[in-house]
Amino acid sequence: MDYLQDLNPSQKLAVTTVEGPVLVVAGAGSGKTRVLTTRIAHLIRAHGVPPYRIVAVTFTNKAAQEMRDRLHAMIGPAAEKIAMGTFHSLCVRILRAEAAYAGIGPDFQIFDDSEQQAVIREVCRELNLDPQRMPPKRLLASISRAKDELITPEEYPAGGDFWEQIVAKVYAKYQEKLRRSNAVDFDDLIMYVVRLLQSNEEVRRKYQERFDHILVDEYQDTNRAQYMLVHLLAQRTRNICVVGDEDQSIYAFRGADIRNILEFEKDFPGAVIIKLEENYRSTQNILGAANSVIQNNTERKEKRLWTKRDSGAKVLFFQGGSEWEEARFVAEAIKELRQRERREYRDFAILYRTHALSRVLEEEFLRSGVPYRIVSGVRFYERKEIKDLLAYLRLIHNPNNDLSFLRVVNTPRRGIGETTLARLTAYAEQFSISLFASLSYLAGVDGLSAKYIKALEGFRALVDGWRERLPELRLTALVGAVLQESGYLAELQAQGDPEAQARLENLEEFLSLAQQFETGDTLTDLGTLLEYVALISDVDTYDAEADAVSMMTVHASKGLEFPVVFIVGMEEGIFPHARSAWEDGQLEEERRLAYVAMTRAQDRLILSCARQRTLYGATRPNAISTFVREIDPRYLEEKGSNLFSLPRFAPAAPQGAGSSGADFKVGDKVEHKVWGRGMVVAVNESGGDLLLTLAFPEQGLKKVLAHLAPITKV
């Protein structure tokens, strides 16, 4: 059997143990996909199992396609006959075939997220629920969690607290509307199939006899409904093989239950446990560091990754004075490693716990010419919440900005719909005035009822109020007032889901940027801020197909690997996240996140933090992350050795001593990447940095912060 020759002993055991329940504990980089595909090929070629009697379940379509491609190379067209795909795709096939038993038509629709929210909004109208207090997304999240736990509307605890009572009413009407539309949502797909298998013996026997062998990838990420599905299918033969790693269970917020993998032997007595501990990805120093962190968790099966690779470079740890110093270190280290080790930009990845940490890195990369791309995310200034906030600020700065007006006049929702805006636009065009100016003449706009006039006048009063207070507000205070008084923050806070929390953190991070443009006791320099953002976020500087550094959250990095990995923001309250201090089990989840991040690295792992960081609009000193302190010193090397010949960094400009007066003086000639050649005509201190006024022949006067602007002396 030539396909077994290149497997290590543990992998071979996992492939050839085909009878009964098997748990393959697959450490990071241990070749689990190879084991799964080879096991399927072995079942077909060595044991004569018909391909259609095998079901292999993955969590992503990408993973399923990768397995199918590998199997095509091993067994040819027979790979197409295997029931392989995600939990949802498997359940769609079953539900289409057995729809009559489930009480729905076989041509049922699957509602996407926007359609689900539309149904919820309709339910809220019928129940007279305020969408501000009962956000549709939050209601949907509660319903989704109930379905993950296989709780029907009839079983939902209607006698619970106020929120549960509301959810119970909405859930019942929501499900009723789906039924009337012959529609299901994604959570229904699994719940309906599980309920069907539980209640209908004929259908259950049919699929238990159909599938002799069940394989499940990423078992540590299964929720209650997925767990029940695979158990029901495996009851007859008990030929179930699950592959996973509890140390990489990082999706509890989506309903994943780590107990599913930890208690596999209890669920399937006599199960064979096989550990894949040989790592084919990382050096021994990287693995040693990762092992020394994860061993502090209690909810895990003991294992230690090892590799035949050499020890490699030690894990480097750098502590900067601020986030700007940290970002400059990362940029310079990338440049030096590219030159010294002949690497491409695509060989580097920057991982962070939260998207908000990306802003300073993005700005430093743009300043220093390091190409980058955001993976599974959006660049800081292109995120919806940041664009919304900037539209408000642009409208305050220039009320004639119709594009900004249209973006925010109904954000958050004020009941101002397309019909109202169409009438307003027609009036503005008739008299050649801006949309905002037309708000002063609402009585002359045809077809506007008192309700819409009141809403539009309220919006005008908000903007006028902010404009009137410009002389007395510092920039951070202005941003805070816009977020609070517009209702934007309240709407996000009411949603209460992880996506809304990430948006809130990004908005808070914008305050850090605003703080850098506060010019002492002078007027709020809103124009300079908006000008800076317009240049720094120029999409023309970004080529998604080019050789570029990858930047992403740790969650987005799962399943990926890179020759060189930086993990930034390794500070208490950031990584681990602040909420781990008071939520049970959260610190262990954060430690698993750190383990996942560390084991993405192949050749080099570099950790960094800042002694002091301005984040979410506040500047505070931060202790070094628990996870850094847990690394065995044998595997760790602090910056300061000759590993890098990097220049000594000055303290970050926004905090403490920045550029000195000797760095730039009136009369200096400068080169700007966008504006070209110019001259310094004024130099002022600003928050520990220098605010330069530059004169350009074609661009006129421009104000920039010395440490941020992409300028050099000529």
Side-chain angles (χ1 to χ4, degrees):
M1 300 179 186
D2 55 338
Y3 54 88
L4 298 177
Q5 291 178 0
D6 294 330
L7 300 177
N8 67 42
S10 295
Q11 290 174 329
K12 189 176 295 185
L13 184 62
V15 166
T16 57
T17 307
V18 297
E19 297 295 329
V22 177
L23 168 61
V24 180
V25 181
S30 62
K32 71 179 180 65
T33 303
R34 184 181 190 183
V35 166
L36 278 168
T37 52
T38 307
R39 182 184 174 91
I40 294 172
H42 184 71
L43 286 170
I44 295 170
R45 292 173 60 175
H47 294 269
V49 177
Y52 64 86
R53 300 186 76 89
I54 300 172
V55 59
V57 188
T58 67
F59 268 80
T60 66
N61 291 314
K62 179 182 176 183
Q65 189 58 50
E66 180 182 354
M67 288 177 61
R68 194 176 298 279
D69 290 343
R70 291 195 189 192
L71 280 166
H72 261 291
M74 299 176 76
I75 60 175
E80 292 299 327
K81 299 179 181 179
I82 301 165
M84 182 181 298
T86 64
F87 277 98
H88 293 110
S89 64
L90 171 66
C91 288
V92 166
R93 278 178 272 177
I94 294 176
L95 208 53
R96 293 277 185 214
E98 314 299 340
Y101 293 106
I104 58 175
D107 57 344
F108 62 83
Q109 300 178 64
I110 303 172
F111 276 7
D112 63 18
D113 184 66
S114 62
E115 292 168 319
Q116 293 171 45
Q117 290 194 52
V119 175
I120 289 289
R121 285 194 290 271
E122 185 179 344
V123 169
C124 288
R125 283 194 296 271
E126 293 177 4
L127 295 176
N128 294 317
L129 297 177
D130 181 358
Q132 299 295 325
R133 296 180 60 211
M134 305 293 167
K137 287 188 70 173
R138 189 178 173 194
L139 289 166
L140 267 176
S142 293
I143 292 170
S144 176
R145 182 57 63 93
K147 291 181 178 182
D148 286 348
E149 295 292 328
L150 300 172
I151 300 172
T152 65
E154 296 75 23
E155 297 166 340
Y156 196 86
D161 60 24
F162 177 72
W163 175 257
E164 288 182 334
Q165 292 174 31
I166 295 296
V167 173
K169 294 177 183 177
V170 173
Y171 187 8
K173 290 188 72 68
Y174 170 74
Q175 213 61 19
E176 179 185 329
K177 287 182 178 294
L178 291 184
R179 286 267 186 185
R180 285 208 302 264
S181 301
N182 192 33
V184 298
D185 61 24
F186 280 98
D187 298 307
D188 283 330
L189 292 172
I190 301 176
M191 186 172 77
Y192 277 25
V193 171
V194 170
R195 288 287 185 174
L196 179 59
L197 295 177
Q198 288 175 326
S199 62
N200 191 306
E201 184 179 354
E202 180 181 350
V203 174
R204 181 171 66 251
R205 188 185 309 115
K206 172 182 177 180
Y207 287 96
Q208 287 177 347
E209 292 176 353
R210 160 79 185 275
F211 299 126
D212 285 338
H213 290 270
I214 297 123
L215 298 91
V216 185
D217 191 13
E218 304 285 6
Y219 191 65
Q220 78 279 352
D221 292 334
T222 51
N223 60 30
R224 173 70 179 173
Q226 294 158 345
Y227 164 90
M228 288 301 300
L229 174 64
V230 296
H231 278 241
L232 285 164
L233 292 176
Q235 276 180 357
R236 183 179 70 88
T237 66
R238 296 180 81 243
N239 290 335
I240 179 172
C241 174
V242 302
V243 180
D245 179 9
E246 75 286 352
D247 289 339
Q248 298 185 71
S249 178
I250 60 173
Y251 295 115
F253 68 92
R254 294 182 186 169
D257 191 342
I258 195 173
R259 292 174 300 177
N260 293 350
I261 191 168
L262 292 175
E263 298 178 2
F264 184 80
E265 303 100 307
K266 179 180 175 182
D267 295 333
F268 291 95
V272 176
I273 312 300
I274 302 168
K275 296 180 182 180
L276 305 184
E277 297 174 297
E278 182 176 356
N279 178 280
Y280 294 91
R281 175 186 300 154
S282 308
T283 65
Q284 190 57 55
N285 275 326
I286 293 171
L287 295 180
N291 285 333
S292 60
V293 171
I294 198 61
Q295 68 183 6
N296 291 282
N297 271 8
T298 57
E299 288 190 320
R300 66 186 299 263
K301 298 177 182 295
E302 182 57 37
K303 62 180 173 298
R304 293 188 70 85
L305 297 185
W306 62 277
T307 182
K308 291 178 181 176
R309 294 189 63 186
D310 59 25
S311 57
K314 288 188 176 184
V315 175
L316 182 67
F317 172 60
F318 172 78
Q319 184 179 34
S322 71
E323 68 273 25
W324 294 101
E325 188 174 337
E326 178 188 40
R328 286 197 293 274
F329 163 76
V330 172
E332 293 299 326
I334 289 172
K335 289 181 177 179
E336 184 155 339
L337 285 173
R338 281 190 77 236
Q339 182 176 14
R340 180 189 302 172
E341 300 181 359
R342 300 183 181 278
R343 296 190 183 279
E344 304 294 332
Y345 282 117
R346 66 174 63 92
D347 293 335
F348 297 87
I350 316 296
L351 309 184
Y352 34 74
R353 177 62 181 84
T354 176
H355 273 303
L357 268 67
S358 75
R359 180 183 65 83
V360 172
L361 288 159
E362 289 186 59
E363 294 187 10
E364 177 58 33
F365 286 177
L366 286 167
R367 186 194 66 79
S368 58
V370 174
Y372 70 93
R373 59 181 176 177
I374 302 291
V375 179
S376 296
V378 183
R379 291 158 64 107
F380 185 85
Y381 295 108
E382 295 167 15
R383 292 169 184 145
K384 178 186 182 300
E385 62 276 16
I386 301 301
K387 282 189 169 185
D388 290 343
L389 175 55
L390 286 170
Y392 270 112
L393 296 177
R394 288 182 179 121
L395 189 62
I396 293 169
H397 185 63
N398 175 17
N400 295 323
N401 188 327
D402 283 351
L403 286 177
S404 292
F405 177 94
L406 289 171
R407 185 175 184 96
V408 298
V409 67
N410 198 43
T411 304
R413 290 181 294 275
R414 300 181 175 91
I416 302 169
E418 292 183 5
T419 302
T420 299
L421 289 175
R423 288 169 176 162
L424 198 67
T425 300
Y427 182 87
E429 290 177 349
Q430 179 183 352
F431 293 95
S432 300
I433 59 177
S434 70
L435 289 170
F436 187 83
S438 69
L439 299 185
S440 298
Y441 309 98
L442 292 175
V445 180
D446 292 334
L448 284 188
S449 67
K451 172 185 175 182
Y452 299 117
I453 290 176
K454 182 179 179 181
L456 288 167
E457 285 179 339
F459 178 72
R460 185 190 67 186
L462 274 175
V463 177
D464 283 342
W466 293 324
R467 285 177 54 77
E468 291 169 2
R469 291 153 61 194
L470 271 177
E472 62 188 59
L473 287 178
R474 298 180 71 84
L475 195 49
T476 50
L478 173 66
V479 172
V482 169
L483 292 173
Q484 290 283 354
E485 296 166 17
S486 68
Y488 200 97
L489 277 186
E491 184 175 73
L492 284 177
Q493 289 165 346
Q495 289 178 16
D497 57 32
E499 180 182 350
Q501 181 59 38
R503 293 184 184 280
L504 285 168
E505 291 176 353
N506 288 330
L507 290 170
E508 290 171 349
E509 172 58 7
F510 192 93
L511 291 171
S512 301
L513 175 69
Q515 188 179 65
Q516 297 166 26
F517 286 83
E518 292 184 345
T519 55
D521 296 326
T522 62
L523 300 181
T524 299
D525 200 348
L526 180 56
T528 302
L529 168 64
L530 295 175
E531 184 179 83
Y532 171 78
V533 170
L535 290 171
I536 202 74
S537 61
D538 186 358
V539 295
D540 293 334
T541 64
Y542 177 64
D543 181 358
E545 301 301 318
D547 182 27
V549 174
S550 295
M551 297 173 60
M552 69 195 81
T553 63
V554 179
H555 280 103
S557 74
K558 179 80 178 297
L560 303 177
E561 59 184 34
F562 300 89
V564 182
V565 170
F566 292 81
I567 310 176
V568 300
M570 294 297 289
E571 300 149 32
E572 289 297 303
I574 296 178
F575 199 4
H577 197 282
R579 65 170 171 263
S580 65
W582 62 81
E583 292 186 14
D584 290 342
Q586 191 61 41
L587 182 59
E588 294 217 349
E589 176 101 349
E590 291 288 305
R591 190 175 282 113
R592 291 192 290 269
L593 266 176
Y595 177 79
V596 166
M598 296 170 76
T599 53
R600 299 311 94 196
Q602 295 171 301
D603 303 329
R604 283 190 180 274
L605 174 62
I606 302 171
L607 313 177
S608 65
C609 68
R611 293 184 185 88
Q612 178 174 283
R613 184 182 298 271
T614 302
L615 189 64
Y616 311 143
T619 302
R620 58 175 62 90
N622 293 325
I624 296 172
S625 169
T626 296
F627 305 143
V628 174
R629 290 184 274 112
E630 288 175 346
I631 296 175
D632 190 317
R634 291 179 296 167
Y635 308 115
L636 197 63
E637 183 167 358
E638 292 195 32
K639 170 67 180 69
S641 71
N642 60 3
L643 180 61
F644 287 122
S645 56
L646 297 177
R648 180 179 176 83
F649 291 111
Q655 314 300 331
S659 301
S660 67
D663 289 333
F664 288 98
K665 61 182 183 296
V666 174
D668 281 347
K669 293 181 179 179
V670 297
E671 178 83 25
H672 189 282
K673 286 187 176 180
V674 176
W675 300 324
R677 290 281 180 97
M679 178 183 291
V680 178
V681 296
V683 179
N684 296 288
E685 290 287 341
S686 175
D689 193 14
L690 296 181
L691 179 69
L692 307 179
T693 302
L694 310 177
F696 296 91
E698 296 183 2
Q699 304 292 334
L701 293 180
K702 302 289 185 181
K703 290 185 178 182
V704 300
L705 286 175
H707 87 286
L708 290 179
I711 58 174
T712 55
K713 285 186 182 180
V714 178

